[in-house]
Amino acid sequence: MASPMGLGHLPCYIAPMESHMLMLAVCCLACAGSLATPPVGIEARTIYSNANIYTMDPARPRAEAIAIGDDGTIMGVGSHDEVSLFEGPDTVVIDLRGRTVLPGLIDAHGHVMGLGAYELGVLDLSSATSSMDLVERVAQLARRRTPGEWILGGRWDHESWPSGKLPTHDDLSRAIPEHPVWLRRVDGHAGLANAEAMRRAGITRDTKNPPGGEILRDSRGEPTGVFVDRAMDLIERVIDAPTPSDEELILAAQKHLLGVGLTGVHDAGISPDDAEAYKRLAGDGRLKMRVSAMLSAPYARSYLPSHEPHVSDRFVLRSVKYYMDGAMGSRGAWLLEPYSDRPRADDGSPYTGLAVGDPKELEDLSRLALRHGWQMRTHAIGDRANREVLDAYEHALLEEDALGSDHRFCIEHAQMLHPADIPRFAQLGVLASMQPRHETTDMRWVEERIGPERARGTYAWASLLRTGARICAGSDFPVEPANPFLGFYASITRSDGDGEPAGGWQPQEKMTRAEALHAFTRDAAYAAFQEDLCGSLEVGKSADLIVIDRDIMTCEPREILGTRVLRTVIRGETVYEAP
Ligand SMILES: [Zn+2]
């Protein structure tokens, strides 16, 4: 819901503390003028002053200064005079000279390791759907690379393919004969090499298995291209290009994300091994951003009963990611009625897209999640897929007597909704996790795919908000750029970077600036059960904030696109500063 963003009066908020401390604080406020130093315990470590602050706290939306304590929580936010009460001899006061401050932005749907791989030039194969799909993706990259250059990829998972079978090198070697190729499996315990890579490593049918490793072989005794555990060294020792670890991928992504003003991200699909990498980085303080991760559904059935949700300051794992359909661009979105531009399948039957998931399986998984205190987050693009997910959620909630409970189930994307399903989000307490940039990317061909009538129900932000539903916003990086200001601009304009179409595509579904900021802050925090921790600048919450070079709440819409982040702060610590 929109909250007025006008500059009201600026009462100072006092941090919650022991009652005697509160009395001291109130007393100190009363005689503030004569007090040179605040009493012990309420001296701020840092004060950002002279700022144009949007707090996202509806009780007091605007402020000029913010005081942060030793533990990184917000002690006071208000006018300059009020916040200066927290200034002591050791307080560092930073004059922001009128710059705009926002709560740290949160991307509610991205792929962290995919972005890290992209940043490091490694191919992310986690979304490959079969062995042939994997080969096609590697071949695409090979066409852009000089022959002889290593092609490195990773994160493929044959368990998630319909065949469930390990790949072999034959197709890969045929499609990519000139580049050596090495593709690590998602768990890092196996890799697939092509013929050129094996030639360089001197692998033949006579090569023996090293201790602790195995070269998989076919019925004729020839290597299949898959190397397990210690046998991976046989290939990796001849690679003259770096192979990043999970940790390196996460850190490369983090560097990028902090620089674009994101203090939190929801990682849309990780493995138990990825979770271990996150825990290691959180444990030794290298994970700065807040990551709320979704466990990929194939792992959930065995993982949920034996693992409590993991909740720490920087890393949370308490949700499960399921796929109900494909994407609209490739006509994989599952529709109620046939596609307008492909009404019939090759066999003449009506073509309505692909059911990637099984509604019954989702219902069972949702019940399992409810019983173990986990949240469901399901990918659904087409109107049929969205309806099936809402139905499955509803059945599970009824069966587990959890309707009205604090489940916070989400639908990821929720791009195309039948009008009858729009009110069901609020009724069931299901959040819509949406990516505003997808709308401006897809608007060019959506009407062709589904016709003008159904196009009106796509990316229906305003309609959803009107029913009381919560929208948490994201980008789906690296599919779209992670820069949240591009998503913010798309939310309020529904136009591309050139301002086309003028006035926006299906403009009745635009968000206001306040609604868009809400979706990238408060409701993204809410989707991760973190609304008491972050998402707004309020006393007692963690000081997660960004300083930007322009006021995106008042500037010309097109100027939002060039927003530069000057400083990113998480729990009071500056984790990024513009060079
Ligand atoms: Zn995604």
mmCIF file of all heavy atoms in Angstrom, residues 196-211:
data_model
loop_
_atom_site.group_PDB
_atom_site.id
_atom_site.type_symbol
_atom_site.label_atom_id
_atom_site.label_comp_id
_atom_site.label_asym_id
_atom_site.label_seq_id
_atom_site.Cartn_x
_atom_site.Cartn_y
_atom_site.Cartn_z
ATOM 1 N N GLU A 196 38.759 -33.507 -26.408
ATOM 2 C CA GLU A 196 39.946 -32.651 -26.470
ATOM 3 C C GLU A 196 40.575 -32.461 -25.078
ATOM 4 O O GLU A 196 41.787 -32.480 -24.930
ATOM 5 C CB GLU A 196 39.576 -31.300 -27.106
ATOM 6 C CG GLU A 196 40.686 -30.265 -27.146
ATOM 7 C CD GLU A 196 41.951 -30.693 -27.915
ATOM 8 O OE1 GLU A 196 41.906 -31.709 -28.638
ATOM 9 O OE2 GLU A 196 42.987 -30.021 -27.757
ATOM 10 N N ALA A 197 39.721 -32.310 -24.070
ATOM 11 C CA ALA A 197 40.242 -32.172 -22.703
ATOM 12 C C ALA A 197 40.954 -33.464 -22.289
ATOM 13 O O ALA A 197 42.031 -33.433 -21.681
ATOM 14 C CB ALA A 197 39.112 -31.844 -21.730
ATOM 15 N N MET A 198 40.366 -34.613 -22.638
ATOM 16 C CA MET A 198 40.985 -35.893 -22.255
ATOM 17 C C MET A 198 42.295 -36.104 -23.017
ATOM 18 O O MET A 198 43.267 -36.628 -22.475
ATOM 19 C CB MET A 198 40.006 -37.043 -22.502
ATOM 20 C CG MET A 198 38.853 -37.042 -21.495
ATOM 21 S SD MET A 198 37.872 -38.557 -21.521
ATOM 22 C CE MET A 198 36.746 -38.203 -22.866
ATOM 23 N N ARG A 199 42.319 -35.647 -24.288
ATOM 24 C CA ARG A 199 43.548 -35.771 -25.072
ATOM 25 C C ARG A 199 44.670 -34.971 -24.399
ATOM 26 O O ARG A 199 45.786 -35.456 -24.222
ATOM 27 C CB ARG A 199 43.313 -35.255 -26.497
ATOM 28 C CG ARG A 199 44.471 -35.529 -27.462
ATOM 29 C CD ARG A 199 44.298 -34.809 -28.784
ATOM 30 N NE ARG A 199 44.368 -33.352 -28.664
ATOM 31 C CZ ARG A 199 45.495 -32.654 -28.458
ATOM 32 N NH1 ARG A 199 46.662 -33.295 -28.329
ATOM 33 N NH2 ARG A 199 45.475 -31.340 -28.354
ATOM 34 N N ARG A 200 44.353 -33.751 -23.997
ATOM 35 C CA ARG A 200 45.372 -32.908 -23.349
ATOM 36 C C ARG A 200 45.850 -33.503 -22.026
ATOM 37 O O ARG A 200 46.992 -33.298 -21.623
ATOM 38 C CB ARG A 200 44.816 -31.517 -23.082
ATOM 39 C CG ARG A 200 44.587 -30.753 -24.373
ATOM 40 C CD ARG A 200 44.464 -29.292 -24.085
ATOM 41 N NE ARG A 200 44.084 -28.572 -25.282
ATOM 42 C CZ ARG A 200 44.140 -27.256 -25.396
ATOM 43 N NH1 ARG A 200 44.554 -26.527 -24.377
ATOM 44 N NH2 ARG A 200 43.776 -26.663 -26.508
ATOM 45 N N ALA A 201 44.943 -34.201 -21.349
ATOM 46 C CA ALA A 201 45.309 -34.788 -20.064
ATOM 47 C C ALA A 201 45.966 -36.160 -20.241
ATOM 48 O O ALA A 201 46.383 -36.784 -19.272
ATOM 49 C CB ALA A 201 44.070 -34.901 -19.185
ATOM 50 N N GLY A 202 46.049 -36.619 -21.503
ATOM 51 C CA GLY A 202 46.677 -37.917 -21.769
ATOM 52 C C GLY A 202 45.854 -39.101 -21.297
ATOM 53 O O GLY A 202 46.387 -40.161 -20.963
ATOM 54 N N ILE A 203 44.527 -38.928 -21.257
ATOM 55 C CA ILE A 203 43.648 -40.012 -20.782
ATOM 56 C C ILE A 203 43.355 -40.983 -21.928
ATOM 57 O O ILE A 203 42.912 -40.554 -23.004
ATOM 58 C CB ILE A 203 42.304 -39.443 -20.262
ATOM 59 C CG1 ILE A 203 42.514 -38.353 -19.204
ATOM 60 C CG2 ILE A 203 41.410 -40.577 -19.750
ATOM 61 C CD1 ILE A 203 43.071 -38.825 -17.897
ATOM 62 N N THR A 204 43.576 -42.249 -21.699
ATOM 63 C CA THR A 204 43.204 -43.288 -22.669
ATOM 64 C C THR A 204 42.501 -44.401 -21.914
ATOM 65 O O THR A 204 42.364 -44.329 -20.688
ATOM 66 C CB THR A 204 44.452 -43.897 -23.357
ATOM 67 O OG1 THR A 204 45.191 -44.611 -22.348
ATOM 68 C CG2 THR A 204 45.322 -42.824 -23.986
ATOM 69 N N ARG A 205 42.122 -45.455 -22.664
ATOM 70 C CA ARG A 205 41.464 -46.576 -21.992
ATOM 71 C C ARG A 205 42.411 -47.271 -21.017
ATOM 72 O O ARG A 205 41.987 -48.011 -20.139
ATOM 73 C CB ARG A 205 40.878 -47.557 -23.006
ATOM 74 C CG ARG A 205 41.900 -48.121 -23.986
ATOM 75 C CD ARG A 205 41.278 -49.139 -24.895
ATOM 76 N NE ARG A 205 40.823 -50.295 -24.152
ATOM 77 C CZ ARG A 205 39.658 -50.907 -24.340
ATOM 78 N NH1 ARG A 205 38.817 -50.463 -25.257
ATOM 79 N NH2 ARG A 205 39.320 -51.959 -23.631
ATOM 80 N N ASP A 206 43.701 -47.012 -21.186
ATOM 81 C CA ASP A 206 44.680 -47.672 -20.312
ATOM 82 C C ASP A 206 44.980 -46.884 -19.033
ATOM 83 O O ASP A 206 45.683 -47.378 -18.153
ATOM 84 C CB ASP A 206 45.996 -47.887 -21.071
ATOM 85 C CG ASP A 206 45.780 -48.739 -22.314
ATOM 86 O OD1 ASP A 206 44.927 -49.662 -22.222
ATOM 87 O OD2 ASP A 206 46.398 -48.472 -23.354
ATOM 88 N N THR A 207 44.476 -45.636 -18.944
ATOM 89 C CA THR A 207 44.744 -44.841 -17.740
ATOM 90 C C THR A 207 44.088 -45.507 -16.532
ATOM 91 O O THR A 207 42.918 -45.872 -16.574
ATOM 92 C CB THR A 207 44.177 -43.410 -17.893
ATOM 93 O OG1 THR A 207 44.647 -42.868 -19.124
ATOM 94 C CG2 THR A 207 44.624 -42.520 -16.741
ATOM 95 N N LYS A 208 44.885 -45.665 -15.474
ATOM 96 C CA LYS A 208 44.346 -46.331 -14.278
ATOM 97 C C LYS A 208 43.608 -45.335 -13.381
ATOM 98 O O LYS A 208 43.914 -44.145 -13.386
ATOM 99 C CB LYS A 208 45.503 -46.943 -13.480
ATOM 100 C CG LYS A 208 46.163 -48.099 -14.194
ATOM 101 C CD LYS A 208 46.820 -49.032 -13.185
ATOM 102 C CE LYS A 208 47.209 -50.344 -13.830
ATOM 103 N NZ LYS A 208 48.078 -50.157 -15.049
ATOM 104 N N ASN A 209 42.650 -45.856 -12.621
ATOM 105 C CA ASN A 209 41.975 -45.015 -11.625
ATOM 106 C C ASN A 209 42.976 -44.621 -10.540
ATOM 107 O O ASN A 209 43.685 -45.480 -10.022
ATOM 108 C CB ASN A 209 40.839 -45.780 -10.936
ATOM 109 C CG ASN A 209 39.663 -45.992 -11.866
ATOM 110 O OD1 ASN A 209 39.491 -45.264 -12.843
ATOM 111 N ND2 ASN A 209 38.859 -46.993 -11.571
ATOM 112 N N PRO A 210 43.019 -43.341 -10.184
ATOM 113 C CA PRO A 210 43.886 -42.950 -9.066
ATOM 114 C C PRO A 210 43.233 -43.361 -7.741
ATOM 115 O O PRO A 210 42.022 -43.581 -7.711
ATOM 116 C CB PRO A 210 43.941 -41.429 -9.188
ATOM 117 C CG PRO A 210 42.654 -41.051 -9.840
ATOM 118 C CD PRO A 210 42.260 -42.204 -10.722
ATOM 119 N N PRO A 211 44.013 -43.471 -6.659
ATOM 120 C CA PRO A 211 43.387 -43.784 -5.370
ATOM 121 C C PRO A 211 42.359 -42.717 -5.011
ATOM 122 O O PRO A 211 42.623 -41.529 -5.188
ATOM 123 C CB PRO A 211 44.567 -43.725 -4.375
ATOM 124 C CG PRO A 211 45.806 -43.755 -5.206
ATOM 125 C CD PRO A 211 45.451 -43.236 -6.563
#
